[in-house]
Amino acid sequence: METAYRTCPFCEATCGLEVTFEGNEVVKVRADEQDVFSKGFICPKGVNLKALHEDPDRLRSPMRRLPDGSFEECSWEEAFAEIDERWKEIAADGDRNAAAVYLGNPNAHSHSALLYGRAFMKALGTRNIFSASSVDQLPKQVSTGLMFGGSLTIPIPDVDRTDHFLVLGADPAVSNGSLMTAPDMRGRIRAIRERGGKVVVVDPRRSRTAEEASEHHFIRPGTDALLLAAMANVILDEGLGEPGEHLSAHLNGLDELPGLLAPFTPELAAGGCGIDAETIRTMARELAGAPSAAVYGRIGTTTQAFGALTSWLVDVLNVITGNLDREGGAMFPLPAASVPSSDGKAAVRLHRWSSRVSGRGEALGELPVNCLTEEIETPGEGQVRALFTLAGNPVLSIPNGDRLDKALGSLDLMVSVDIYLNETTRHAHVILPSPSPLEKAQYDLAFYALSVRNVANYSPAVLPLPEGAMEEWEIMLRLTAIAAGAGPEADTSMIDDVIAVEIAKMYTQVDGTKVSGRDPAEVVAATGPDRGPERLLDLMIRSGPWGDGFGEDPDGLTLERLVESPHGVDLGPLTPRIPEILGTESGRVELVPPEMAAELERLQAETAARNGDGPQLVLIGRRQLRSNNSWMHNLPRLVSGPEGCTVFVNPADAERCGVSDGEAAVLRSASGTIELTAVVTDAIMPGVVSVPHGWGHDFKDTRLSVAREHAGANVNELGDSGLMEPLSGTAVLNGIPVELAAA
Ligand SMILES: Nc1nc2c(c(=O)[nH]1)N[C@H]1C(S)=C(S)[C@@H](COP(=O)(O)OP(=O)(O)OC[C@H]3O[C@@H](n4cnc5c(=O)[nH]c(N)nc54)[C@H](O)[C@@H]3O)O[C@H]1N2
Ligand SMILES: Nc1nc2c(c(=O)[nH]1)N[C@H]1C(S)=C(S)[C@@H](COP(=O)(O)OP(=O)(O)OC[C@H]3O[C@@H](n4cnc5c(=O)[nH]c(N)nc54)[C@H](O)[C@@H]3O)O[C@H]1N2
Ligand code: SF4
Ligand SMILES: [Mo]
């Protein structure tokens, strides 16, 4: 029997797994006790890596759709030939925007996808780039992008050293943390309290995290901006905080804040958010008075109508309490494979182009996924005729996915790179399967940039690539060649070399890296393997801040050194990074971007117009420990657990609507109706119901034999794709008006 160590690819926590195997058979997956970061923590999903690997429904060969709608296995040559043929016909019309790409969540967990996806999209040359970001974290990236000048320059709560942790719209005890990479968040939260600190949770639901907290406040969905604005107002008005010496010299806009926030009194906020004015004052005073504190908001605060404003206010509080870029506050990681900041050249600009049909602005290079369906449905120049979904299931994950489901059938070409024939990929002409996670290497390029400690961990593939499988990056290179018109048989090593040189330039052409000023081709030639993502990773790590600089710093990191460290390399706690990390044009923190000042005005106007009124019942989401968005419901031990697709209802609402615990209930919105089991509980506040997303597996033509038996309902049929946060175009998923009744 052999043992290998591997980072879990399922969520942002990056836990270390120990895999025992015999030949190509997996015997067991358990926690890696020696992992430098997760130290023996694991969750039920990690254990089920074996079940995923062995799932008979998981695709192991390319699939081609036949005219009758059924699928047959085909060879890779046949699959790429069909894609090429259909693509050539579309490309012949010369309309680059006829192609669209949808990038799903697992891309963020795959270094191959991150390193090779960009070249593919460039080769397509389309503006129709969509991703799960616009049903997720994009508002945070917009707000921090405007403030700090980089789309991944996001302050991360220093949870292991903080004295006061204020959490809004996140349930890290279940989700295991997001935009905050930290294995065992529940343990880390308990540790804050054990060392005498305080944890405060603001959520319309008493979540698992709330149960671990010192204090929990119910809040009306979508009103966090009011609460945070009022807290910041109190702190400024009462002179309770200041940015601190370490920040003051690098800060623009502090003088503008008091005037902008003055209208947001605790009394005004209380009327909207439902937390009383005295409590708001106390929350502000305690936050400002703590020796160190971190404010953190996640999906409940980003997928709402004021998502960018709320995200900004989170960091305004971090700044004005002196906690930004300081131990125990909100800090910036220094990842081993990071892209250097570039003197304002990468500063974030919004709305450089718009979507064709409803004119919604671009953000960080992508268009709102809420616009995808209409771009496929609406004829005319620029109509989307070809769609590439890369590890995504938008039929279940975007508002009105049922309408997208119908539109997908009309495409002239749809290609899905995916491991399942599911609700979305059943419309593809060709499905290209990635290998099992155990058959590919893992390095969390994205999440070490969002981590509560500086860590680097590279895991080579545990098992060899089986016959008939193709590396994910090879798939991407083939698609790139096809998109570029070079055909399915082109020599992809040339494209690979171009990608390597482009990455090298990001380090050689800026000051202050270990290879500044060197010839990029020469740097590429000096790296390890000749091809593939390992070469690119080695290049990034060695050129990066912890790297060996190709011999310059012999103790520095190389990919080889990471391979020799199967439990990871701990690079220590986070350290201050301002001003060097700033990428704004001014080179300073822009505390009050004009976009946010305008959003504050919109909040004020809408609050006045609403005058305390709102719908009687609104819908929010929640995550489940044994689910991963839409795609782990086919694993028997996960899906048959206690969670299921249920609606949480407060006893008062249940009584008013005639709904009983454990009985079927109907939820209706302006766009749709779903039926599911009610759980009557005082863990949800009156006037709010909560339903998890990712369910609704009752399609006959998928290959999800287990999930189909536990279908649940698709909550996104209740959503409204017309509702978006204005700066980022992110879908409003929380606060949807609904009606509830017994089934
Ligand atoms: N109502 C509501 N809707 C939501 C949310 C919510 O809170 N409420 N949350 C939103 C959020 S945060 C997100 S991130 C999105 C997720 O939205 P999506 O990314 O569209 O959906 P997932 O369910 O993550 O689907 C991932 C897909 O990748 C495939 N896959 C898994 N592993 C691999 C792999 O290794 N390689 C490849 N090629 N494919 C793989 C799966 O089979 C599945 O098809 O959903 C969003 N939708
Ligand atoms: N087990 C598991 N882990 C996951 C995932 C999964 O599906 N399952 N998905 C992964 C993904 S893609 C992501 S993005 C992360 C997300 O990670 P989290 O952001 O931690 O996600 P949730 O657990 O949904 O927590 C969101 C909380 O926001 C609350 N909420 C809803 N609306 C509002 C509001 O208006 N205001 C406030 N203050 N709160 C509100 C909800 O009640 C819920 O408790 O999780 C990741 N981890
Ligand atoms: S918490 Fe996340 S990374 Fe850790 S084992 Fe579970 S799914 Fe994997
Ligand atoms: Mo997400």
Side-chain angles (χ1 to χ4, degrees):
M1 231 155 37
E2 289 176 81
T3 303
Y5 298 92
R6 189 191 195 291
T7 308
C8 175
F10 296 146
C11 88
E12 300 180 34
T14 72
C15 300
L17 305 178
E18 182 184 278
V19 184
T20 37
F21 58 101
E22 195 147 18
N24 287 346
E25 293 298 310
V26 181
V27 178
K28 194 171 182 171
V29 176
R30 42 180 226 139
D32 175 5
E33 299 291 334
Q34 299 171 72
D35 185 277
V36 296
F37 199 14
S38 60
K39 300 187 171 140
F41 176 82
I42 193 171
C43 85
K45 283 184 293 172
V47 177
N48 275 277
L49 179 53
K50 175 175 153 70
L52 176 70
H53 178 71
E54 292 168 355
D55 185 353
D57 286 340
R58 184 173 60 79
L59 302 180
R60 287 157 172 85
S61 152
M63 306 291 283
R64 179 163 67 178
R65 185 152 55 86
L66 302 174
D68 70 356
S70 68
F71 279 84
E72 67 168 12
E73 292 190 0
C74 64
S75 68
W76 289 95
E77 288 73 26
E78 288 167 323
F80 287 122
E82 173 159 354
I83 297 168
D84 186 56
E85 204 173 298
R86 286 175 182 270
W87 172 245
K88 274 204 282 231
E89 222 167 276
I90 296 165
D93 294 344
D95 183 358
R96 305 305 291 185
N97 293 325
V101 178
Y102 174 78
L103 297 156
N105 172 272
N107 286 291
H109 299 267
S110 160
H111 64 279
S112 296
L114 291 172
L115 291 168
Y116 287 91
R118 191 181 295 255
F120 169 60
M121 290 185 279
K122 223 171 153 186
L124 283 177
T126 176
R127 287 184 164 181
N128 285 313
I129 305 293
F130 303 89
S131 88
S133 290
S134 59
V135 275
D136 191 349
Q137 83 293 348
L138 206 54
K140 184 73 196 176
Q141 287 184 279
V142 164
S143 86
T144 55
L146 294 171
M147 289 177 90
F148 309 116
S151 59
L152 267 178
T153 310
I154 300 176
I156 307 300
D158 186 10
V159 283
D160 295 342
R161 293 183 291 186
T162 197
D163 297 295
H164 188 106
F165 189 30
L166 172 58
V167 178
L168 304 106
D171 187 9
V174 167
S175 68
N176 285 297
S178 180
L179 303 186
M180 175 176 66
T181 285
D184 189 16
M185 262 314 293
R186 190 155 74 159
R188 288 174 203 265
I189 284 171
R190 286 183 179 169
I192 297 174
R193 296 187 63 188
E194 277 158 20
R195 61 177 182 264
K198 186 161 187 175
V199 179
V200 180
V201 170
V202 177
D203 196 304
R205 178 176 65 98
R206 193 169 62 248
S207 61
R208 273 202 201 204
T209 306
E211 293 193 344
E212 297 291 337
S214 327
E215 207 172 283
H216 165 234
H217 302 282
F218 282 136
I219 185 167
R220 282 197 199 112
T223 62
D224 300 77
L226 276 177
L227 168 70
L228 296 175
M231 287 177 66
N233 186 13
V234 169
I235 290 168
L236 293 171
D237 187 49
E238 298 184 5
L240 302 177
E242 49 186 50
E245 258 172 57
H246 68 295
L247 259 189
S248 298
H250 310 289
L251 199 58
N252 279 346
L254 186 61
D255 297 346
E256 289 168 57
L257 259 189
L260 284 170
L261 294 173
F264 298 94
T265 60
E267 282 69 22
L268 177 87
C273 76
I275 301 176
D276 67 75
E278 228 17 69
T279 305
I280 295 175
R281 286 199 174 84
T282 308
M283 288 171 76
R285 290 171 191 150
E286 288 184 1
L287 178 76
S292 70
V295 187
Y296 166 73
R298 210 29 211 106
I299 191 119
T301 62
T302 51
T303 50
Q304 52 160 284
F306 288 95
L309 182 70
T310 307
S311 300
W312 170 70
L313 285 164
V314 163
D315 288 317
V316 165
L317 281 171
N318 284 324
V319 169
I320 65 173
T321 54
N323 284 301
L324 186 79
D325 203 36
R326 186 174 76 122
E327 254 184 49
M331 306 188 75
F332 300 99
L334 181 61
S338 61
V339 176
S341 21
S342 47
D343 320 326
K345 277 185 232 118
V348 169
R349 285 172 201 89
L350 300 173
H351 306 178
R352 290 167 295 176
W353 59 85
S354 302
S355 71
R356 176 181 64 109
V357 179
S358 57
R360 295 286 182 158
E362 151 279 349
L364 309 183
E366 54 184 272
L367 290 168
V369 74
N370 272 8
C371 299
L372 173 59
T373 307
E374 64 190 19
E375 293 296 334
I376 298 172
E377 286 171 344
T378 314
E381 202 188 313
Q383 180 180 12
V384 170
R385 295 165 57 202
L387 174 67
F388 297 83
T389 70
L390 309 177
N393 193 4
V395 166
L396 295 191
S397 50
I398 72 169
N400 310 131
D402 45 330
R403 202 178 114 203
L404 174 67
D405 183 53
K406 294 194 181 74
L408 292 179
S410 69
L411 290 164
D412 295 331
L413 169 62
M414 178 169 159
V415 178
S416 294
V417 182
D418 208 287
I419 59 173
Y420 282 113
L421 202 179
N422 64 18
E423 298 77 12
T424 296
T425 63
R426 64 194 239 281
H427 292 290
H429 294 95
V430 177
I431 310 175
L432 305 171
S434 314
S436 145
L438 291 173
E439 294 153 1
K440 54 188 187 190
Q442 178 80 13
Y443 181 86
D444 276 287
L445 256 187
F447 299 115
Y448 294 135
L450 303 167
S451 173
V452 304
R453 263 186 100 78
N454 289 319
V455 172
N457 198 339
Y458 170 81
S459 336
V462 173
L463 302 174
L465 203 63
E467 208 175 312
M470 187 176 278
E471 298 272 16
E472 207 166 32
W473 57 275
E474 284 277 12
I475 299 174
M476 291 312 300
L477 282 176
R478 291 258 156 247
L479 289 177
T480 306
I482 292 173
E489 269 139 41
D491 176 8
T492 56
S493 65
M494 271 157 55
I495 309 176
D496 202 6
D497 289 342
V498 172
I499 293 173
V501 172
E502 286 304 311
I503 290 181
K505 282 184 188 162
M506 295 194 304
Y507 296 87
T508 57
Q509 294 183 348
V510 298
D511 292 337
T513 76
K514 296 211 160 139
V515 292
S516 298
R518 284 175 63 172
D519 173 20
E522 173 217 321
V523 170
V524 170
T527 51
D530 341 320
R531 291 200 57 188
E534 276 59 40
R535 169 169 66 168
L536 307 181
L537 267 184
D538 191 42
L539 180 120
M540 293 176 78
I541 288 166
R542 299 176 76 176
S543 310
W546 304 93
D548 81 335
F550 298 92
E552 199 179 283
D553 179 358
D555 293 332
L557 288 184
T558 61
L559 187 65
E560 201 181 345
R561 210 183 127 202
L562 293 186
V563 173
E564 289 160 3
S565 315
H567 309 292
V569 175
D570 180 24
L571 301 166
L574 305 185
T575 48
R577 294 206 56 203
I578 286 181
E580 142 257 340
I581 194 167
L582 299 174
T584 48
E585 266 169 79
S586 61
R588 294 158 78 96
V589 175
E590 293 298 346
L591 188 57
V592 187
E595 291 85 349
M596 296 302 164
E599 279 292 279
L600 272 178
E601 272 178 37
R602 182 170 77 94
L603 177 65
Q604 199 185 343
E606 288 206 2
T607 308
R610 200 176 302 132
N611 196 17
D613 277 351
Q616 200 167 25
L617 197 62
V618 296
L619 170 71
I620 62 169
R622 69 173 186 275
R623 268 163 183 68
Q624 300 177 296
L625 195 59
R626 294 169 166 272
S627 280
N628 203 9
N629 299 325
S630 74
W631 68 275
M632 287 180 99
H633 296 145
N634 208 51
L635 307 181
R637 304 262 289 275
L638 287 181
V639 79
S640 60
E643 290 169 327
C645 179
T646 58
V647 54
F648 287 177
V649 189
N650 182 274
D653 294 311
E655 200 185 319
R656 182 175 53 83
C657 304
V659 164
S660 318
D661 186 55
E663 302 287 323
V666 171
L667 264 184
R668 187 171 292 115
S669 75
S671 352
T673 305
I674 61 171
E675 193 177 311
L676 68 185
T677 307
V679 173
V680 178
T681 166
D682 66 3
I684 187 103
M685 71 189 281
V688 182
V689 289
S690 155
V691 179
H693 70 287
W695 297 88
H697 303 295
D698 47 350
F699 291 86
K700 284 186 194 68
D701 49 355
T702 57
R703 188 187 283 190
L704 296 168
S705 52
V706 178
R708 200 179 299 124
E709 298 302 311
H710 304 262
N714 179 6
V715 70
N716 280 318
E717 291 184 21
L718 303 180
D720 178 350
S721 58
L723 292 179
M724 286 172 245
E725 191 282 326
L727 294 175
S728 65
T730 299
V732 175
L733 304 173
N734 290 312
I736 309 281
V738 285
E739 284 167 20
L740 177 74

